[in-house]
Every structure is written in structure tokens, then in C-alpha cells.
Amino acid sequence: MLFLGFSAGVPILLIFSTLGLWLNEAGVAKSSITFFSWAALGYSFKFVWAPLVDRLPLPFLTKLLGRRRSWMFVSQLAIMVSIWLMSTVNPQANIDNLELMAIGAVLLGFSSATQDIVIDAYRIESSDKNMQSMLSATYIAGYRIGMLVAGAGGLFLASYFGSTKELYSFSAWSNTYLVMTMVMMVGVVTTLLIKEPDLSGHNKAYSTTDYLRFFALFLAIVVAFIATFVVSADLGKAVKSSLTEVFSNQYLSGFIVATLRMILAIAGAYMAARILIALNIVNRSMVNSTYVDPVKDFFDRYGLRVAILLLAVIGLYRVSDIVLGVVANIFYQDMGFSKIEIATVAKTFGLFMTIAGGFLGGLMAIRFGVFKVLFLGAALSAITNLLFIVLASAGHDMTWLYITIAMDNLSAGLAGAAFIAFLSSLTNIKFTAVQYAVFSSLMTLLPKIFGGYSGTIVEVFGYSEFFILTTLIGLPILYLVYKVKPYID
């Protein structure tokens, strides 16, 4: 789990903070940079293809490696290809290159999210529930080390190869991403060495035709989603123009229109799926057992009211720190900190604080219960954002940078370990991959949508107001965590 956590932790920062610094040095606007965080929305929609990963055997590889390891191997190769593709694109050259970079980032988010689906299922299936807290803590430690390599390591390498904010060098960043491509071999080697969990009798076997038809259903859902989103572009522009006149705020109008287009695209994908199922294009029993039964099982076990309450906690718990995290590295750079200083403090020192917080959270969960750690973590995650206001006023002050990073990462790590164990406890072993994918997708969906607008908020209002906002949106979470107390421990 340590090495698999490492493999899962490397890609995420190559979409978020490390890529953000690359684009910032290349002269891309902050509002455009933070929109790149939407490339990681694959993490938030992975429940759509989680059943595919859970059910579909891969030709030759499934027999050779097993169901979990074969998908793990393919997703890791796809991650390496995506990172390599990004390394070949200079975002400064022209707008087409920026679009190509976005495509590479989306592919990286998709393949990395697929790897997460398999690793989460492997973790839960490879051991009993009484080991999940320890496996979660070890996984988080590996994940954070992977983030350290992609975050601090990436910044060190880019500086070593000769790129600065004043003197941008494409070759420096290209070489950095090529190194990150090779770093992913850690995950590939681990996948080839570990044992496949015993899943005998776990899933009903279907014919090859059923699997192919099921794959066709997935492709139809994806095509319908993309087509609906693209077709609605012109209508979206007209609606945005009208709403801007009503609200006198183009940013609010843009957010409303983007949200409506997303909902419309989801509805289009749903309708396409319903039509194909009604026409018996796909095995109805297979659809029920992969999409319907896992969701029905969750609501049957908890009841409608409690299930919705639990889903609300899952969906909003990390909103405060994820929204801030999208713009954090750009903030450090704007405060005058060099890439080496950011790598040393925010990434390296911050990593150890997060790992310490993770193991502290695990111990406290055992001693005091999961509820108290979740509540404390939610409170600290929101309140520690206020320290960034002090740092914004202090400017280039290494002492305040250390204090801010220490408190922010310690609280995030503390909450993280208990939260992952909490999510794992909600799953039924019959539907591990799908249910955990739904939970972890919901965990990041709204925060990442809001995070895409963080650069715009900073440009309009400034950093201090932005940090106050991230604190305020985290406070209602305390009430939700309190409401689910009877169902946590």
C-alpha cells in the first residue's frame, strides 16, 4: 500500500500545483490556470466507469495478472503516456498548445482516477476491516511521498534545469515531466510483484458479448455527455449574456451557466443510457448488478434520510482545503517565494506535517472515535485558512510560511486518515469498487468545480478576501458532521 499510494500521489500535483507553476511562469493568466484544475474532474466522475473497471476483463492481461492487477497495470501505462504528452507541449507558444496541454491534463486525470478506483478496491479487498485504518494511514503516507516527489521534486528539477519566473524555459519543464514519467515505474513494478486478492465468487461471469455491449454503453454515455456539453455552448453564451445584464456580474453568470451546462450534459448522458437499456442493447441484468444494486444497497442499509446526510458530509467535507489548494502555489510565488523555497517548505516540510497529522489522526480515531477526529479535522481545516491572510500581509516571510504550512498540513492529515477509514466503512464488500468510487468521487466533485473559479475570485477580490471565503464555506460542515454522529462510530 505504501508503494501503490506513492503511484497514486504522483499524478495529482502534475495536474494541480506543479502544472500551475509551469503555466504561471509561461505567462498564462491566473483565471485560465485554475480552470486547469477541472482536468482532474475525472476523479469526481470516476463512478461512471468504475463498474466498467470492476466488471470488464482485459484481453490476455486479466488471465495473466488478475482482475485488479490488470487494470492497475493498464492505468499506470496510460498515466505515463499522458505525462509524456504534456512534456512535449509548450503552453507559451500559442493558444492551440494550451488546448493540447489541457487534453493531456484531462487524459492524465482520467487514467489517474482509474488507477485510484483499482487501488481503493484492492486495499479494501486485500484485508479485513480491522486493518483498514492502518492500510489507510500507510496508503496516505505513500500518497504524500508521491506528492512530495511530484511537487517538491518537480520544482527542484525545474529550477535545476534552469526555469524561473523571470526567465521561462520550456525545456526545463519538459525534462521535469519526462523524469516524472519514469518515476511512475515504481507503481508498475509494484503491480507486477503483488498478489491478486481472492475474489472467487465475488462477481457473476458474463459472456464476451455482454462485456462488449456493456463497454458500448459506457462509450455512448461519454459521447452523449461530451456532445450535449459542446452543443450547449452557443446557448450558454446567450444565457450568460442575459444573466450578466440581470446580475451585473459576469463571474456569477459564468458560474451559473457552467453549472447548468454540466447538469444538462449529465442529463443527456443519462437519457442515452436509458434509451440503450430500453432497446436491450446491453444486458439489463448486468446494468442492474453494476450500477443499480450498489446504490440500492447503500440506501437500503442506511435509509433515505441518513444516506443523504452521509452523502452531504462526503461531498462537502474537503471543500475548504481543496478550493484553497488550487491557488496555493501561485499565491506563494506571488508573495515572492522561489520554487526552491516552495519545494522545501510547502512540499517537503508540509509532507512530514501531513504524514504526522495522518498517523496522529489514526491514533486519535482509535482512542477517541472517528467522529471526534472528523469534527476536529473539519474545524481545523477551515480555521487554519485564516493563517494565509497573515502570510499575505507578511509577504516574503519564511517564519510565517513555516507556521502556516505546519498548521494547515497537520490538520489536513489528521482529518484525512479518519475520513478515508470512514469512507471504507460505508462500503459493502460485494460492491467495493463501485461504492468507494462513488464516495470518493462525490468527495471532490463540488470542491473541484468551485476550485476552478478560485483564480477568478483572487483576480477580482484579492487573496485575503479569498482566504476568508474558504474559511466561511468550511464552517457549515461542522453542523453536518455533528448530525451524522450517531451513524459514524
Side-chain angles (χ1 to χ4, degrees):
M1 289 315 305
L2 184 73
F3 290 120
L4 291 178
F6 176 88
S7 181
V10 169
I12 186 68
L13 287 190
L14 299 180
I15 306 173
F16 282 114
S17 59
T18 303
L19 179 59
L21 283 180
W22 180 358
L23 297 175
N24 198 37
E25 287 190 357
V28 179
K30 288 184 183 65
S31 54
S32 298
I33 293 173
T34 52
F35 284 139
F36 266 79
S37 66
W38 286 348
L41 278 175
Y43 287 92
S44 302
F45 286 101
K46 61 186 178 184
F47 64 88
V48 175
W49 68 91
L52 188 72
V53 174
D54 192 33
R55 299 281 184 175
L56 189 67
L58 295 171
F60 176 70
L61 285 177
T62 297
K63 288 186 178 181
L64 181 65
L65 299 174
R67 186 150 56 92
R68 297 304 184 207
R69 293 168 65 214
S70 60
W71 274 102
M72 212 178 289
F73 179 72
V74 168
S75 64
Q76 287 161 350
L77 292 184
I79 289 171
M80 295 177 70
V81 170
S82 302
I83 299 173
W84 170 81
L85 175 62
M86 294 172 71
S87 75
T88 65
V89 180
N90 183 1
Q92 191 185 55
N94 52 58
I95 190 66
D96 291 336
N97 274 21
L98 199 60
E99 292 176 358
L100 187 58
M101 176 68 82
I103 292 172
V106 169
L107 292 175
L108 179 56
F110 177 82
S111 51
S112 180
T114 303
Q115 180 188 224
D116 280 9
I117 292 170
V118 192
I119 293 177
D120 288 332
Y122 179 86
R123 171 174 55 82
I124 296 170
E125 293 166 350
S126 62
S127 186
D128 295 331
K129 281 194 173 184
N130 60 358
M131 281 292 293
Q132 288 302 317
S133 292
M134 183 57 68
L135 290 178
S136 297
T138 310
Y139 171 81
I140 290 174
Y143 195 93
R144 296 296 178 177
I145 294 171
M147 292 178 70
L148 171 67
V149 171
L155 301 188
F156 276 122
L157 285 172
S159 295
Y160 173 77
F161 290 132
S163 183
T164 65
K165 189 175 182 181
E166 294 74 24
L167 188 62
Y168 167 70
S169 169
F170 165 65
S171 63
W173 284 105
S174 177
N175 290 334
T176 298
Y177 270 59
L178 284 174
V179 171
M180 293 303 142
T181 303
M182 300 310 300
V183 163
M184 280 302 301
M185 284 301 298
V186 171
V188 174
V189 172
T190 304
T191 299
L192 295 176
L193 292 178
I194 59 177
K195 295 180 179 179
E196 178 77 3
D198 182 13
L199 299 175
S200 55
H202 182 68
N203 274 327
K204 176 185 174 183
Y206 292 92
S207 68
T208 302
T209 303
D210 285 332
Y211 284 122
L212 291 175
R213 290 161 63 191
F214 188 74
F215 183 64
L217 173 67
F218 169 72
L219 289 181
I221 291 173
V222 173
V223 170
F225 179 89
I226 295 173
T228 307
F229 194 80
V230 171
V231 168
S232 65
D234 291 337
L235 177 62
K237 289 179 182 178
V239 174
K240 180 181 177 181
S241 178
S242 300
L243 290 178
T244 301
E245 293 181 7
V246 174
F247 296 116
S248 299
N249 188 324
Q250 62 173 326
Y251 303 107
L252 175 60
S253 302
F255 174 76
I256 293 173
V257 170
T259 303
L260 290 175
R261 288 181 65 199
M262 183 71 72
I263 293 173
L264 188 63
I266 293 172
Y270 175 76
M271 289 303 298
R274 294 290 299 179
I275 291 171
L276 289 177
I277 294 171
L279 295 174
N280 291 320
I281 301 298
V282 66
N283 186 322
R284 191 182 296 266
S285 171
M286 194 174 186
V287 172
N288 287 335
S289 63
T290 52
Y291 280 104
V292 179
D293 291 349
V295 176
K296 185 175 181 295
D297 168 79
F298 177 72
F299 281 92
D300 286 346
R301 282 188 290 126
Y302 289 101
L304 180 62
R305 188 182 68 84
V306 176
I308 291 175
L309 197 57
L310 288 169
L311 292 175
V313 172
I314 295 170
L316 296 172
Y317 188 79
R318 294 197 58 201
V319 64
S320 182
D321 60 314
I322 288 180
V323 171
L324 186 146
V326 172
V327 81
N329 268 11
I330 303 171
F331 165 68
Y332 301 141
Q333 198 169 47
D334 286 348
M335 291 299 103
F337 296 103
S338 68
K339 287 198 293 295
I340 298 299
E341 290 171 333
I342 296 171
T344 302
V345 184
K347 304 305 177 186
T348 309
F349 173 72
L351 164 76
F352 290 111
M353 288 295 100
T354 304
I355 292 176
F359 282 107
L360 177 62
L363 291 173
M364 290 178 65
I366 294 172
R367 177 67 178 84
F368 303 109
V370 174
F371 165 74
K372 291 181 179 179
V373 180
L374 282 179
F375 190 88
L376 178 63
L380 291 177
S381 294
I383 294 171
T384 51
N385 286 358
L386 296 175
L387 290 173
F388 285 87
I389 299 176
V390 180
L391 182 59
S393 300
H396 188 270
D397 188 316
M398 292 299 292
T399 300
W400 272 110
L401 182 62
Y402 271 104
I403 293 172
T404 302
I405 295 300
M407 296 304 298
D408 186 60
N409 284 267
L410 193 67
S411 62
L414 184 143
F419 192 56
I420 289 181
F422 164 61
L423 294 184
S424 300
S425 71
L426 298 178
T427 63
N428 184 331
I429 193 67
K430 293 181 180 178
F431 312 107
T432 311
V434 179
Q435 287 187 346
Y436 196 90
V438 171
F439 298 149
S440 55
S441 296
L442 187 60
M443 175 181 72
T444 59
L445 177 57
L446 285 176
K448 284 177 181 174
I449 290 176
F450 294 146
Y453 291 97
S454 57
T456 303
I457 296 172
V458 169
E459 288 182 345
V460 175
F461 298 105
Y463 280 116
S464 295
E465 291 76 7
F466 170 73
F467 296 136
I468 292 173
L469 177 63
T470 60
T471 299
L472 293 177
I473 62 177
L475 295 180
I477 313 305
L478 298 174
Y479 174 74
L480 291 176
V481 174
Y482 175 77
K483 292 293 290 182
V484 299
K485 179 181 184 297
Y487 313 100
I488 292 180
D489 293 328

